[in-house]
Amino acid sequence: MVSLTRFVCSVFLSVCCLSYSLSVSAGSEVSKSTASVPAIAAASDLRFALDDISQKFTNETGLKLKISYGSSGNFATQIQNGAPYELFLSADEKYIQQLHRAGIARDAGVLYAQGQLAIVVPKAGSLSVDPELKGLAEALVAGKITRFAIANPDHAPYGEKAKEALQFVQLWDAIQPKLILGENVSQAGQFAISGSTQGGIIALSLAMSPTFAKHSDYAIVPAKMHSPLFQRMALMANAGETAQHFYDYLRADSARRILADYGFSLPEQP
């Protein structure tokens, strides 16, 4: 009887230990899974293109991503102040170069695209769109422009280039009091097609998206009107395997085709 009791107790203890071991192992796997979802910072001109690419990536690999969109300048500041982004896709390569010099980016990264500008107006609006911005100039002279949207030139690359384009056609001084500044180019785009402004200058990649195309008309602003929008991405020093996989995926043909579909020019592959 004593022997049987000892046997039962031994089995019970073994089961309990096994159960505890499995519980700890399962908990570790959950934590590992949660930790493996990288935080990615992306310029807001990528909102629609990168949504498509990341969804395709997740469908093909099962790996999840957490993407935040905003102005490149603000992201660079956040990363320098310790924000735990593992991959940064900037709309202006200078921010990647700054992070590399500071030892925060793993390396100098790669060019993934060259952006373009577009002037957009609501479909019901009276402002005509043309590449040379002649319609905008005429509307300004006629006093028909009360509000016009661009991204903030101080920290948003597309706002900086919009300012350059307006200076190129000598409209900056006249239009400056009318400007509504978006925190980033995506917000400027929302202002431009909302009907609360007469239009705006934003990223072509946003103007070409189905969401914008339903509500607005656009014309491409010639590249000669502004300095190039070289867009660079880099892994940060804290990048994990999933971020590395996505970084590699962004340079593959399938991702590059999606970027091209949204109006980005593509750099030569190294």
Side-chain angles (χ1 to χ4, degrees), residues 49-239:
L50 199 60
D51 279 353
D52 289 355
I53 294 171
S54 62
Q55 185 61 60
K56 186 175 173 64
F57 171 80
T58 297
N59 290 343
E60 292 178 8
T61 66
L63 299 172
K64 296 181 179 180
L65 308 165
K66 181 180 180 182
I67 302 176
S68 300
Y69 296 98
S71 77
S72 297
N74 283 345
F75 275 135
T77 300
Q78 291 170 22
I79 292 169
Q80 287 175 323
N81 289 331
Y85 293 110
E86 297 183 33
L87 172 62
F88 177 27
L89 292 90
S90 176
D92 189 328
E93 64 177 346
K94 71 181 179 184
Y95 295 114
I96 296 295
Q97 293 163 346
Q98 288 173 7
L99 293 173
H100 180 220
R101 288 193 296 269
I104 299 171
R106 184 178 293 181
D107 53 33
V110 295
L111 289 172
Y112 64 89
Q114 183 172 342
Q116 299 186 73
L117 293 178
I119 179 171
V120 294
V121 300
K123 283 191 177 294
S126 58
L127 176 62
S128 63
V129 293
D130 63 276
E132 303 297 330
L133 307 183
K134 293 178 181 177
L136 178 60
E138 292 170 359
L140 270 169
V141 171
K144 295 180 179 179
I145 301 295
T146 58
R147 285 195 284 258
F148 192 80
I150 66 170
N152 192 324
D154 291 339
H155 55 73
Y158 277 88
E160 180 183 344
K161 306 311 177 185
K163 177 180 178 179
E164 290 178 8
L166 291 165
Q167 288 173 327
F168 183 90
V169 293
Q170 300 181 350
L171 296 180
W172 178 251
D173 290 340
I175 205 169
Q176 200 171 355
K178 321 287 186 184
L179 290 178
I180 303 297
L181 301 180
E183 182 66 14
N184 52 63
V185 73
S186 180
Q187 187 180 65
Q190 293 168 10
F191 293 157
I193 67 172
S194 66
S196 62
T197 69
Q198 281 74 53
I201 295 178
I202 63 169
L204 175 62
S205 58
L206 299 179
M208 289 182 64
S209 70
T211 300
F212 275 68
K214 287 188 297 186
H215 303 289
S216 62
D217 298 313
Y218 73 88
I220 299 174
V221 175
K224 67 180 181 182
M225 291 188 181
H226 59 86
S227 56
L229 273 156
F230 291 130
Q231 304 200 190
R232 184 174 289 268
M233 63 179 176
L235 291 162
M236 301 300 104
N238 64 329

